[in-house]
Structures are given as C-alpha cells and as structure tokens.
Amino acid sequence: MKLFSIVGARPQFIKIAPICRAIASQNEDSQVLDDVIIHTGQHYDPSMSDIFFDELNIPKADFHLGVGSGAHGAQTGLMLQKLEELMLSQKPDMVVIYGDTNSTVAGALAAAKLHIPIAHIEAGLRSFNRKMPEEVNRIVADHISDMLLAPTPTAISNLKKENLAERTIYSGDIMHDAVIYNCKLAEEKSSILKDLSLAKKDYAIVTIHRAENTDDTERLESILTSLNEIAEDGLQLVFPIHPRTKKTISAQFPDWKPSAKLNMIEPVGYLDMLQLVGNARVALTDSGGLQKETFFLNCPCITLRDETEWVETVDGGGNIVTGVNKDKIIEAVTYWINKTEKEDVDFTAQASKAFGEGNSADRIIQAILDY
C-alpha cells in the first residue's frame, strides 16, 4: 500500500516522525506500507526545515517541491499544481495530510479531485475564527477527507456537529507521542541552557509567528511593548525569532530595541526547544503546537491570541488566553510567577485524559490499514 505523506512546515515535521517510526515497526516482518514523503518547501529555511529532519531521524523526503513562501493563493496554487502532477505519476493508494497549513489544504484538494482517499491527522480543530488562514484550511481539509483522525474528544465533538461523525476516528494527539519520545533525548543531547547561560525556571520562553499578530501593526507593537516591560521588571525572556517575524519587526519598527533581558535568538531545533520549554518558568506564545508542548511538559502557558483551538489546555489549568492586551499579559505573567513560587505545576493527568497516552501513531497506522 502506497501512502503519500505531505508535509511542509515545522509542526508537520514533528508530527510525521512518530508516523515514520510506526510504519517502520509495521514493516519489520514484511513491507506492508510504502510511505512516500513529499516536502512542499513551505518552510524552506534550514533552521525551520532541515534541522527537524536530522534531529528527529525522519527519512529524507522522496520529493521536494521547492514551493517556498508567497501569498496564500499563489503558494497554495503552486503546491496544488505540483502535487496533482506527482499523484498522477506516482498513483498513491492514500494521501496523508497533517494539521492546518497551506500544504495540508493543497494536498487535500489535489487528492480529492483525483478521487484518492485522504487521511487527515489532527482533524476537528476549531478556533471559530475564520480570519485565521489555518481555520479555513482545517475546515476545507476535514470536509473533503475520507478519514478524520481526531486528537481529542473536543475535536470529535466539533466534527459531529458538522455531520462528519461517520468519518471520524479518535486517535489521540500525535504531538503527545513526539514529546514523550523526545523529551529524554533532548535532556541528553541539547546544550541550549548551558549555551545561553540559563538557569532552570529562571526565564520565560517566547514565540510569535501568527499572521494575525505579525501582520497587524497595532497587535505586534502591543506584544513587543509587553515583552520589554516584562523583561524590565526582571524576568529574563528567550525569544527564538521566526524569520518572518524578524523581517516584519525590522520593517515596521526599525527603531525598536529589545530590553537587555529580552534575548532574541535565531530559531532553534526541536530538541533545543523541548529543553527551553521544559525548563521555563512560563511560555508566551501564539503557536498552536507550543500551547500543547507546554502542557505536556508542565510549563505554564500564556496564549497571545484572542482564542485557542486547544481548549483542553485551558480547561486543564495550564493555559491563559490573554490576546495582546498588555495589562492582561502582565497580569497572567504575575499569576504564573506567584503560583509557581508556591507549588510545582503538573498537568500530566489532564494531558493524558485529553490527548491520549502517547500511542497515537500506532492507532493511526492501524486505522489506515483497516480502511
């Protein structure tokens, strides 16, 4: 059986690694599954792409489309064209898509038009904000996929409300697999804390990359002002900066300077990021994936968005959604600092209840074989 696994962005590289291991395990006795990996090139910077393949021991992509960045329509259209050509020549039995990127929706559209079955890993997420391109991608991908692999009970409920229950299978969360598998490896191999002279629980980790924040001057300015104020109050911040965010700050705020305790660094690999998150006092982020990683690693989270698709992290007590209001952000930072001074936070039980026990990849591969 030939699978086409379509990836193109950092979160998808993390998600495909457990699937590759599960497929290798399935193929130990005989070659049951032929997994063809297609890298669209949506993330093309080596710091956002190559390092993840190397660290996570992901097989080299069989095809690299080299699409690169661009406006949503142009990028998705070029992916669609190239993926259709590849599917026609390679004739996969099933296309596997991950998450909510332009690579996801392009893969779904190409396969649907060629009547190739589609399995969507991480189906059913909803922020209920269609201004987010990711939300549009999720909805389209779910409604044209044949198998919806839902990571949480909330995702199953969302799909049921959209009359998609018959296609839905509970899989658990694939990123939970990845964190469980790699956190010990990160402790052994990563030297990031030493390299940055960081003491455990003595700093906060920051990531900003969502278009809703980086493309809105007022929102970005509020975030940057908040970060500087937090740093000036004494909490060291480590900010691995996304290339697009760095470019936007330089263009929109050429005179802005980070506080002395706001340490802006180049993007880091997955193992380094696990170490940074797992040892941080608190995280401030607009990333969907990082909200979960903080939860899995018992790091308090502050989400710099107006809503979250990962409501389980909020309901489980590990995440505060503040938007970009400076007063709310600083209030949340103060809350987490005070709380962690009094007690160690532990979200392990809530994470397992909501996201599964870390065997999602095996469940997904079995569901594909059953299909």
Side-chain angles (χ1 to χ4, degrees):
M1 180 181 183
K2 182 186 283 189
L3 301 181
F4 254 34
S5 290
I6 298 173
V7 295
R10 173 191 181 276
Q12 293 166 330
F13 308 145
I14 296 168
K15 291 165 193 167
I16 198 175
I19 296 294
C20 291
R21 289 195 297 273
I23 289 173
S25 177
Q26 190 70 48
N27 286 343
E28 279 181 356
D29 296 328
S30 61
Q31 185 78 13
V32 178
L33 292 167
D34 178 17
D35 188 32
V36 180
I37 299 175
I38 295 92
H39 186 339
T40 65
Q42 182 173 336
H43 277 176
Y44 53 90
D45 188 305
S47 66
M48 302 293 288
S49 175
D50 296 355
I51 189 171
F52 291 91
F53 277 79
D54 294 339
E55 283 189 340
L56 300 178
N57 200 26
I58 303 167
K60 185 178 179 181
D62 297 276
F63 298 94
H64 196 302
L65 305 186
V67 170
S69 61
H72 285 287
Q75 186 184 63
T76 307
L78 186 54
M79 288 177 188
L80 180 56
Q81 177 188 337
K82 292 191 172 190
L83 286 169
E84 182 181 63
E85 293 170 356
L86 204 52
M87 290 176 194
L88 284 168
S89 66
Q90 295 292 313
K91 302 187 186 311
D93 297 299
M94 175 173 274
V95 168
V96 183
I97 55 174
Y98 298 77
D100 55 18
T101 70
N102 288 342
S103 298
T104 307
V105 75
L109 286 168
K113 289 175 180 290
L114 294 174
H115 311 294
I116 302 169
I118 307 162
H120 184 195
I121 293 175
E122 205 176 77
L125 302 192
R126 297 293 182 267
S127 67
F128 303 101
N129 176 7
R130 292 202 182 187
K131 291 183 179 179
M132 291 177 60
E134 295 88 353
E135 183 78 353
V136 175
N137 291 343
R138 293 172 194 142
I139 293 169
V140 172
D142 282 342
H143 280 262
I144 59 177
S145 291
D146 300 274
M147 186 190 307
L148 301 173
L149 297 152
T152 65
T154 303
I156 290 175
S157 177
N158 290 337
L159 293 167
K160 185 177 180 180
K161 290 173 184 175
E162 296 176 20
N163 297 317
L164 297 172
E166 289 185 1
R167 304 184 218 167
T168 300
I169 297 169
Y170 173 69
S171 64
D173 191 277
I174 196 74
M175 287 187 75
H176 199 196
D177 291 29
V179 170
I180 291 171
Y181 182 86
N182 288 296
C183 62
K184 289 185 179 179
L185 190 63
E187 289 179 11
E188 295 170 4
K189 292 196 170 185
S190 173
S191 61
I192 191 73
L193 298 184
K194 182 180 178 181
D195 295 344
L196 297 178
S197 301
L198 295 172
K200 293 181 178 181
K201 306 301 179 184
D202 195 37
Y203 65 92
I205 183 74
V206 179
T207 73
I208 306 294
H209 76 278
R210 291 274 182 185
E212 64 189 274
N213 286 331
T214 59
D215 293 351
D216 185 315
T217 304
E218 289 185 8
R219 291 181 69 91
L220 185 56
E221 183 176 23
S222 181
I223 291 170
L224 295 175
T225 301
S226 300
L227 295 179
N228 263 352
E229 190 162 323
I230 292 165
E232 286 161 9
D233 283 344
L235 181 62
Q236 185 172 2
L237 304 180
V238 179
F239 186 177
I241 190 162
H242 190 287
R244 185 162 60 85
T245 306
K246 183 177 182 180
K247 184 178 179 181
T248 301
I249 292 173
S250 297
Q252 297 294 329
F253 305 102
D255 297 326
W256 180 81
K257 287 183 173 57
S259 167
K261 282 203 164 189
L262 174 53
N263 187 11
M264 302 177 78
I265 64 174
E266 292 300 310
V268 298
Y270 184 56
L271 298 182
D272 282 345
M273 198 63 182
L274 287 181
Q275 273 292 90
L276 287 172
V277 171
N279 291 290
R281 188 73 170 270
V282 63
L284 298 96
T285 187
D286 62 6
S287 162
L290 197 69
Q291 289 176 61
K292 289 187 296 177
E293 288 167 348
T294 60
F295 199 56
F296 302 153
L297 293 167
N298 298 316
C299 173
C301 185
I302 298 167
T303 296
L304 307 179
R305 287 168 49 194
D306 299 325
E307 70 288 307
T308 179
E309 57 273 54
W310 296 111
V311 295
E312 297 84 0
T313 63
V314 178
D315 295 341
N319 189 5
I320 300 172
V321 180
T322 62
V324 298
N325 180 278
K326 186 183 75 169
D327 293 339
K328 289 183 178 179
I329 294 170
I330 292 173
E331 181 183 350
V333 170
T334 302
Y335 169 82
W336 282 125
I337 288 176
N338 291 338
K339 185 175 179 65
T340 53
E341 280 180 351
K342 298 173 184 174
E343 59 182 299
D344 291 332
V345 296
D346 188 348
F347 312 126
T348 306
Q350 296 94 321
S352 294
K353 181 180 177 181
F355 296 97
E357 300 292 337
N359 61 348
S360 303
D362 290 333
R363 294 171 69 107
I364 288 167
I365 293 305
Q366 190 57 56
I368 287 171
L369 290 170
D370 290 346
Y371 183 91

